Amino acid sequence: MTLHADLFFSFRSPYSYLAIGRYRAMAEAWDVDIALRPVYPLAIREPDFFERNPPNWLRYTFTDMFRVAQFHGIPFGPPRPDPIVQNVMTRKIADEQPYIFRLTRLGQAAARRGKGTAFAHEAGRLIWGGAENWHEGDHLAEAAQRAGLDLAELDAEAVADAEALDAEIHANQAALEASGHWGVPTLVFEGEPFFGQDRIEMVLWRMQQKGLEKRAV
């Protein structure tokens, strides 16, 4: 019996990236369908979030995310460019955001096709895996192709159906909060939220309690 779970994800979240490949591998090895539920990052939902954080927050986060990547052997590097345009010194979020709306809508369009997790992983490997100018050339098109998708088709939908996609993305955020959490990555299985990239083994343990089995070879 196939189990089902929702994965709430942000393309700007380094921890979402550090989780997505491992969740994708889980779904390939075990009989579980993990549906991607993209959300807009805190920088969009709460632009003053970073200005309110303690000074050490950013330094610790950078230290930790590099450490997690090294521990799990995941390619990792600062995004070039950052999906969110932000002043590093003041932490102020720019009014113009040319990347994150496109990315999140593309992710939701991919999720409509049942390939959201694959797309998020492949795009995440570009953004957070050290690729320079990931938004230019054929980088995203090739990432979409590796996920079994056509970028031109996704982009056309992201433009023509932006309002509906945004409504679905906002519904994802509402569902995340209704589950009992607010941050990403959060996987929700049978109403139980598991927040963070360090809860993946616990997710597997819970699913095995519910009868999760390996996929047939």
Side-chain angles (χ1 to χ4, degrees):
M1 179 183 68
T2 302
L3 302 184
H4 299 273
D6 290 331
L7 178 60
F8 296 91
F9 175 97
S10 162
F11 286 92
R12 206 277 175 108
S13 162
Y15 290 112
S16 286
Y17 163 64
L18 292 168
I20 189 69
R22 291 142 68 201
Y23 274 128
R24 183 183 184 184
M26 178 191 293
E28 290 173 351
W30 297 85
D31 192 13
V32 57
D33 174 35
I34 298 178
L36 191 80
R37 304 285 298 272
V39 300
Y40 284 120
L42 279 171
I44 297 299
R45 293 183 284 113
E46 298 181 36
D48 64 341
F49 172 82
F50 297 93
E51 298 175 41
R52 291 186 278 108
N53 271 335
N56 285 340
W57 179 85
L58 190 61
R59 184 174 64 181
Y60 176 81
T61 299
F62 268 88
T63 299
D64 187 59
M65 62 192 189
F66 278 97
R67 177 172 57 208
V68 170
Q70 290 175 344
F71 180 80
H72 290 286
I74 299 171
F76 192 84
R80 298 175 292 175
D82 190 324
I84 290 290
V85 181
Q86 179 179 15
N87 186 308
V88 177
M89 299 302 295
T90 66
R91 307 187 191 180
K92 182 174 176 56
I93 306 301
D95 293 332
E96 296 294 325
Q97 296 293 334
Y99 311 123
I100 194 63
F101 291 103
R102 178 194 181 200
L103 277 172
T104 310
R105 289 166 185 158
L106 289 175
Q108 185 62 31
R112 286 177 169 181
R113 292 158 174 76
K115 296 183 178 181
T117 301
F119 177 77
H121 181 219
E122 296 296 344
R125 290 168 67 183
L126 287 177
I127 299 164
W128 291 100
E132 188 171 0
N133 295 322
W134 54 264
H135 62 305
E136 296 179 348
D138 295 331
H139 292 312
L140 275 174
E142 291 172 356
Q145 187 176 39
R146 289 192 295 271
L149 296 161
D150 180 84
L151 182 66
E153 178 184 310
L154 295 179
D155 262 326
E157 186 170 321
V159 173
D161 209 21
E163 186 175 344
L165 287 166
D166 277 348
E168 293 169 17
I169 293 163
H170 290 309
N172 291 344
Q173 181 64 40
L176 169 60
E177 293 174 5
S179 78
H181 212 279
W182 57 92
V184 291
T186 293
L187 183 134
V188 178
F189 172 63
E190 294 192 351
E192 184 177 8
F194 296 82
F195 168 67
Q197 60 78 31
D198 54 349
R199 291 294 183 267
I200 296 175
E201 290 183 353
M202 190 173 290
V203 167
L204 182 60
W205 164 76
R206 176 67 84 212
M207 289 180 175
Q208 288 172 331
Q209 288 182 326
K210 301 293 185 174
L212 180 66
E213 297 180 347
K214 286 275 193 178
R215 289 195 185 275
V217 178

